[in-house]
Amino acid sequence: MPASAAILVVVALVAVSTVIGLVWKRRTGSVAAVEAEKADIVTAADVRTDAPFGVRATLLQFSTEFCAYCPSTRRVLGALAERTDGVAHVDVDLTHSPDLAQRFNVLQTPTTLLLDGDGVVRARIGGAPKPTELEASLASILNGDDRVAA
């Protein structure tokens, strides 16, 4: 292979990798609304927890033992739930429950599902949540809006 072709291939690989990395970084932590017709209903029994779900909303966090961002996400979600009436934060450890990860399509931890008072999944966040998007989405759920703000 000529040197110029090799250099071109390397430059192309670096460019593609950079674009993929930027897209990944932008999407990580962003709230993705779940379409109503595709929304699951989740109960405490579904995620094998005794923790009570919120009357108005639940911040359902999926974590693992070795997750670097899970402790800080736990603090953010816990604090938000504490200062918001009727909202609960429930943390589910997937370390020994790969079937739950598969059922809820958890590809990274933390992953957070925003549930309304009926347990309907209204939004999901892959990665550590962006606080402003998280709070806006939770406010939409609490206000009974059909669409979750992102």
Side-chain angles (χ1 to χ4, degrees):
M1 174 183 281
S4 60
I7 290 172
L8 186 59
V9 167
V10 168
V11 168
L13 286 173
V14 168
V16 168
S17 298
T18 300
V19 169
I20 290 171
L22 290 172
V23 168
W24 180 268
K25 183 176 180 179
R26 182 170 179 164
R27 291 188 62 200
T28 298
S30 294
V31 175
V34 174
E35 296 177 30
E37 57 274 358
K38 294 182 180 179
D40 281 339
I41 296 176
V42 181
T43 66
D46 291 335
V47 292
R48 300 182 200 130
T49 184
D50 295 329
F53 278 22
V55 175
R56 297 176 63 207
T58 301
L59 306 171
L60 179 59
Q61 175 184 348
F62 292 107
S63 304
T64 56
E65 290 176 4
F66 302 105
C67 170
Y69 295 108
C70 292
S72 61
T73 297
R74 188 175 301 113
R75 284 189 296 275
V76 168
L77 297 177
L80 180 57
E82 277 185 25
R83 70 176 184 263
T84 311
D85 289 334
V87 176
H89 169 238
V90 176
D91 189 5
V92 176
D93 187 343
L94 298 177
T95 304
H96 304 291
S97 301
D99 58 315
L100 286 179
Q102 185 175 14
R103 180 181 185 285
F104 292 101
N105 197 29
V106 176
L107 302 177
Q108 65 180 358
T109 56
T111 290
T112 304
L113 301 181
L114 280 67
L115 313 177
D116 65 16
D118 296 323
V120 177
V121 179
R122 300 285 306 279
R124 73 183 292 130
I125 304 168
K130 296 177 181 175
T132 54
E133 287 187 30
L134 171 65
E135 290 178 17
S137 298
L138 181 59
S140 293
I141 291 170
L142 296 177
N143 291 331
D145 297 341
D146 290 337
R147 295 210 40 142
V148 173

